[in-house]
Amino acid sequence: VSTVNLEQLSRHLGLSKTTVSRALNGFPEVNEETRRRVQEAARRFDYTPNASARRLATGRAGAIGIVYPTAGGPMLDPLFADFFSGVIEGAAEDDTDVLLSSTYTSAEIAYRRLAKAKSIDALVVTGPQVEDVRVRALSHIDLPVVVHGRTTSSIPYAFYDIDNEGAFRSATEMLIRLGHRRIGLINGDLVFTFAVHRSAGWHAALAEHGLAAPPELEASGAMTEEVGWREATRMLRHADPPTALLCSSIFSTIGAARAIRDLGLRVGTDVSLVGHDDGIQAIRPEAQRPAITTTHSSIRAGGVRVAEIVAGILRGGDPASFREIHPVDLIFRDSTHPPRRRT
Amino acid sequence: VSTVNLEQLSRHLGLSKTTVSRALNGFPEVNEETRRRVQEAARRFDYTPNASARRLATGRAGAIGIVYPTAGGPMLDPLFADFFSGVIEGAAEDDTDVLLSSTYTSAEIAYRRLAKAKSIDALVVTGPQVEDVRVRALSHIDLPVVVHGRTTSSIPYAFYDIDNEGAFRSATEMLIRLGHRRIGLINGDLVFTFAVHRSAGWHAALAEHGLAAPPELEASGAMTEEVGWREATRMLRHADPPTALLCSSIFSTIGAARAIRDLGLRVGTDVSLVGHDDGIQAIRPEAQRPAITTTHSSIRAGGVRVAEIVAGILRGGDPASFREIHPVDLIFRDSTHPPRRRT
DNA sequence: CTGAAAGCGCTTACAG
DNA sequence: CTGAAAGCGCTTACAG
C-alpha cells in the first residue's frame, strides 16, 4: 500500500495544498464542486494525512493519555478492561487516540513526560486517592485533566464520579428496613476516595437509625475474591456475627458468598448479601443462585462519559463545569431477606 | 511550566541545533565536554523534545498499537487489564508508547487508519481466530505485526503463544492417571485458536489412552463465571456425569466450582477440577478451598514479552525468527483426586 | 474562492 | 568535532 501525501494529491488535482487541505478539513470557503473533486480523489488514492505532521502544525496531539500502573498492586484491576473500552469508544467519536503510559517510576514523571513531549492533549486520572499528589502535580502542568472519581483538592478539576456514598447509604438503609442490625462492610482500600465515600454511606445510614458501626464489621483492602472470602469468614465467625454483608466489588462479593456457604450457611436466607456491580460480563450477579442484590453502575459507560468530558474541555469548555456525580441503581434481587431469628 | 525547545536550548548554549540534537541522542562524534554541558542544560531547562516533530523528522511513530474491541463480546475480557499492563511495561523499556484504538467498525479499518496515518510503528493483534482475516489484511499493510496467540496463516508472522495444546493434554493425562475416565472440558469459544488448541490437547490425551471424547462432555463459549456454572451443571446432571472438569479460564473455573457445590457435591473429592489460570490477582485459585489445581501462565508476562518482540522487529530482527511457544506450568493442588467409586 | 509561503520543531546528509 | 541548510508533511495567516 503505497501512501500518497498532500503534495502528491494536490498535484494530481491541479490544486494547491492549501485548497486541498481546506476542502478535506471542511472549511466553508471552498467551492462545493472543488470540494467534491478533492474528496473523490482523496478516497480514490486512500489519502490519510500524516498524523505527526498534522500534530506538529496544529499543536494538538489528537490523543488523550491514561497513566496505568504496571507494577501491579490494588489498581491492576480487571475492571480497567471495561473502563478502557468505554474511553476508547468515546474518544473515537472525536477521532482521538488513547495513549496508555506506564507509571513504572511515578505517575508525576509519566504525566510530565507526556505533557512536555506534547504527546497528549488531556489526561485521564484513574483510581484517585483522597489526598492525591497527582492532581496537585497536574495543576502545575498545563494540561486538561479529567478525574474518574474524586479527590480532595481545592483546584477546580473536572471529574466523573458515581454517587458511592448515596449508593452504600441506600443499600445499608434497605438492609436496616429489612430488619438487619449488624451489617458488615467489605470495602476497597481506604486510600481510594470511592472507598471512603462508601464507608461514609454505610456509617451515615447506621447512625441515622441509631445503630453502632462496630469496627469488627468494617473491613477494607484489595477488592479480590480472596479478601472478600477472608473478611466475610472472619466476620461470620465473630461471637456476634453480621446478618448481612455489603461488598465493594463483584470479586469480593463472590468471595463473601463462598465464605457464607463454606460455613454451612445459605446466601440470602441465612446471611443477606449486597455487592457493588460495575457491570462486567465475566461475572454477573444476576446469574448467581440466589441472584445477588446489587448497587449497579456501568464502569464502561463511565469511560464513555469521561471521554466526552475530555472532548468538551478540549473544545473550550470550562473544566469546572464538568463535575458530575451520577446516581447508582439499587437492584433488589434474591440475596436480601429479613434476618433469621437467632437460634 | 514553560517549555523550551531545541532552538532556544541551543541558542542558550551557544551551539547549533545539530550539535545539541546529536549530544542528546548519544551520537559518538560529540566532544565529551560538550555533551556534558548540553545534558546539564537540558536537565536544567527540563527540555523534552516535541514528540510530533521528532516523529515527523524520523518517520518513526514511537508507539505501538493495540486494537481493542469496544463493542463488548467475548473478547472484552478482564484479562486484558493484565495483558496491557505487561505490554506497556515492556514498551516503556524502549520509550515506546502504547496506542489503544477502537474497532468500532472493523479491525481492518482501524489498522489501516493507524498505519496510514503513521501513528504507530507496529501492531499487536490480540485474540486471534483460527481463520483470522486481520492477519491477512495486515500483510497488505506495511506494518510489523506481533500476534498474541496464533492463527492459521501461511504468512510468516511473529507470534507469542503459550502451549495451550500441551497444557490441556498434560492436565487431561494427569486426570486419567488419577483414574478418571469421564473428563469434561469447558472451553472458550472455538473461533479462537487457543480454544481449538486446548480442545486438541484434551482430545489427544483421551485418544492416547483409548478413551472416547463424548460430545456431551465438551462445551465452549464465553469464558465467564456464568457459562462455567451452566455447562458444569449440565454435564453433572447427565446420566453418566463426568468425574472431573477442565476449564479454560479462572472465571469458568469458579463457575464450575459453584455448580459442583450447588449439586451437593464437593470439589476435589466428589468432582475433580482443573482450571487455566492467567495469573490475575482478583481471583487466585490457590486461595480457593480446596486450592484449585491449574495450568498456569502469566498473561502479564506474555504482554511484556510481546513488547520485547515488537522491539526486536523494529530493530531490524526477522519477524519469522520470533515465533515463540512458551510452556505452561501444571500446578497440582487439592482439587484433583482419584474419582470416587460409583455409589 | 484559491494559492504562495512561512512555520510547527525536530533529524540528518553534507561540508568543513 | 561542529554547523548551515534541507526536509519531514501538514496548517494557516495573508494576499489576491
Side-chain angles (χ1 to χ4, degrees):
Chain A
V1 182
S2 67
T3 297
V4 107
N5 64 21
L6 182 61
E7 164 95 50
Q8 296 161 328
L9 181 65
S10 45
R11 190 150 43 202
H12 174 84
L13 283 158
L15 288 166
S16 70
K17 293 190 295 175
T18 310
T19 299
V20 174
S21 173
R22 281 197 281 238
L24 258 20
N25 289 312
F27 282 59
E29 65 268 37
V30 180
N31 177 293
E32 270 315 311
E33 167 58 19
T34 307
R35 189 192 303 279
R36 258 194 297 276
R37 274 183 58 220
V38 171
Q39 284 171 338
E40 154 63 18
R43 201 171 310 117
R44 194 149 50 83
F45 288 94
D46 196 16
Y47 168 71
T48 308
N50 180 302
S52 298
R54 168 176 277 174
R55 284 163 185 180
L56 181 58
T58 61
R60 300 195 344 105
I64 64 182
I66 300 183
V67 174
Y68 184 59
T70 56
M75 296 209 29
L76 187 52
D77 197 307
L79 304 173
F80 269 110
D82 264 50
F83 178 69
F84 284 161
S85 168
V87 172
I88 297 164
E89 178 179 333
E93 294 288 308
D94 288 79
D95 280 316
T96 301
D97 291 316
V98 175
L99 208 62
L100 243 46
S101 192
S102 146
T103 165
Y104 195 67
T105 46
S106 94
E108 286 177 68
I109 293 174
Y111 292 157
R112 212 180 177 72
R113 193 170 60 78
L114 291 173
K116 300 214 56 146
K118 297 214 170 26
S119 292
I120 54 174
D121 296 318
L123 203 50
V124 173
V125 171
T126 58
Q129 305 191 1
V130 180
E131 307 264 349
D132 203 305
V133 290
R134 297 175 298 172
V135 175
R136 180 181 312 279
L138 285 166
S139 71
H140 298 306
I141 300 172
D142 189 25
L143 197 66
V145 170
V146 178
V147 178
H148 183 229
R150 266 174 287 173
T151 179
T152 57
S153 167
S154 47
I155 304 150
Y157 62 97
F159 65 76
Y160 170 99
D161 202 357
I162 60 174
D163 184 10
N164 285 301
E165 177 170 349
F168 275 54
R169 190 175 351 90
S170 302
T172 306
E173 265 170 5
M174 181 268 284
L175 290 166
I176 294 170
R177 273 199 296 273
L178 283 174
H180 294 275
R181 293 296 171 267
R182 285 185 65 78
I183 301 167
L185 173 66
I186 299 175
N187 204 349
D189 192 319
L190 288 171
V191 300
F192 297 114
T193 313
F194 80 86
V196 171
H197 287 167
R198 290 175 184 182
S199 172
W202 176 74
H203 275 278
L206 293 175
E208 206 174 306
H209 292 264
L211 296 172
E216 73 270 16
L217 293 189
E218 180 169 14
S220 57
M223 295 194 299
T224 64
E225 202 269 352
E226 184 174 359
V227 169
W229 170 78
R230 189 198 308 138
E231 295 300 333
T233 301
R234 185 180 59 69
M235 289 183 190
L236 292 170
R237 280 185 173 153
H238 190 269
D240 189 7
T243 58
L245 294 172
L246 192 50
C247 298
S248 252
S249 95
I250 190 68
F251 298 106
S252 40
T253 302
I254 57 164
R258 177 160 70 92
I260 292 168
R261 294 196 180 95
D262 277 2
L263 292 168
L265 300 167
R266 282 165 304 169
V267 173
T269 44
D270 291 325
V271 181
S272 286
L273 183 60
V274 181
H276 182 74
D277 174 27
D278 292 284
I280 67 169
Q281 292 300 306
I283 307 178
R284 299 197 313 139
E286 58 267 49
Q288 299 286 308
R289 293 292 177 274
I292 295 177
T293 296
T294 58
T295 54
H296 169 269
S297 179
S298 164
I299 196 167
R300 184 166 185 287
V304 173
R305 182 62 195 149
V306 162
E308 288 170 358
I309 293 174
V310 168
I313 295 176
L314 291 180
R315 278 194 219 94
D318 178 12
S321 71
F322 296 103
R323 299 169 69 82
E324 307 183 356
I325 301 174
H326 290 255
V328 175
D329 298 325
L330 177 59
I331 303 179
F332 197 90
R333 297 197 182 91
D334 297 330
S335 68
T336 36
H337 289 262
R340 296 185 54 152
R341 210 93 50 77
R342 288 292 169 74
T343 52
Chain B
V1 183
S2 67
T3 297
V4 108
N5 65 22
L6 182 62
E7 163 96 50
Q8 296 161 328
L9 181 66
S10 46
R11 189 149 45 201
H12 174 85
L13 283 159
L15 289 167
S16 70
K17 293 189 294 175
T18 310
T19 299
V20 174
S21 173
R22 281 197 281 236
L24 257 20
N25 289 312
F27 281 58
E29 65 267 38
V30 180
N31 177 293
E32 269 316 310
E33 167 60 18
T34 306
R35 188 191 304 279
R36 257 193 299 276
R37 273 184 60 220
V38 170
Q39 283 170 338
E40 154 64 17
R43 203 172 308 118
R44 194 148 51 84
F45 288 94
D46 195 16
Y47 168 70
T48 308
N50 180 301
S52 299
R54 168 175 278 173
R55 284 164 187 180
L56 181 57
T58 61
R60 301 196 342 107
I64 64 183
I66 300 183
V67 173
Y68 185 58
T70 56
M75 295 208 33
L76 188 51
D77 197 306
L79 304 173
F80 269 112
D82 263 51
F83 178 69
F84 284 162
S85 168
V87 173
I88 297 164
E89 178 179 334
E93 294 287 309
D94 289 77
D95 280 316
T96 301
D97 290 316
V98 175
L99 209 63
L100 242 46
S101 193
S102 146
T103 166
Y104 196 66
T105 45
S106 92
E108 286 177 69
I109 293 174
Y111 293 156
R112 212 178 176 74
R113 192 171 60 79
L114 291 173
K116 299 215 55 150
K118 297 212 169 27
S119 292
I120 55 174
D121 296 319
L123 203 51
V124 173
V125 170
T126 58
Q129 305 190 2
V130 179
E131 307 264 347
D132 204 305
V133 289
R134 297 175 298 174
V135 175
R136 180 182 311 278
L138 284 166
S139 71
H140 298 304
I141 300 173
D142 189 25
L143 198 65
V145 169
V146 178
V147 178
H148 183 228
R150 267 174 286 173
T151 180
T152 56
S153 167
S154 48
I155 305 151
Y157 62 97
F159 65 78
Y160 170 100
D161 201 357
I162 60 174
D163 183 10
N164 284 300
E165 177 169 350
F168 274 55
R169 187 172 358 88
S170 301
T172 306
E173 265 170 5
M174 181 268 285
L175 290 166
I176 293 170
R177 273 199 296 272
L178 283 174
H180 294 274
R181 293 296 172 267
R182 285 186 64 78
I183 300 166
L185 173 65
I186 299 175
N187 204 349
D189 192 318
L190 288 171
V191 299
F192 298 114
T193 313
F194 80 85
V196 171
H197 287 167
R198 289 174 185 182
S199 172
W202 177 75
H203 276 278
L206 293 175
E208 205 173 309
H209 292 264
L211 296 172
E216 74 270 15
L217 293 188
E218 180 169 15
S220 56
M223 295 194 298
T224 64
E225 201 269 352
E226 185 174 357
V227 169
W229 170 78
R230 189 198 308 139
E231 295 299 335
T233 300
R234 185 180 59 69
M235 289 183 190
L236 292 170
R237 280 186 173 152
H238 190 269
D240 189 7
T243 59
L245 294 173
L246 193 49
C247 298
S248 251
S249 95
I250 190 69
F251 297 105
S252 40
T253 302
I254 58 164
R258 177 160 69 93
I260 292 168
R261 295 197 181 95
D262 276 3
L263 292 168
L265 300 167
R266 281 165 305 169
V267 173
T269 44
D270 290 325
V271 181
S272 285
L273 183 60
V274 180
H276 182 74
D277 174 27
D278 292 284
I280 66 170
Q281 292 300 305
I283 307 178
R284 300 197 314 138
E286 58 267 50
Q288 299 286 310
R289 293 292 175 274
I292 294 177
T293 297
T294 58
T295 54
H296 168 269
S297 179
S298 164
I299 195 168
R300 184 167 187 286
V304 173
R305 181 62 194 150
V306 163
E308 288 169 358
I309 293 173
V310 168
I313 295 175
L314 291 180
R315 277 195 222 93
D318 177 12
S321 71
F322 296 103
R323 300 169 68 83
E324 307 183 355
I325 300 174
H326 290 255
V328 175
D329 298 324
L330 176 60
I331 303 179
F332 196 89
R333 298 197 182 91
D334 297 330
S335 67
T336 36
H337 290 261
R340 294 184 55 151
R341 211 94 49 77
R342 288 291 168 75
T343 50

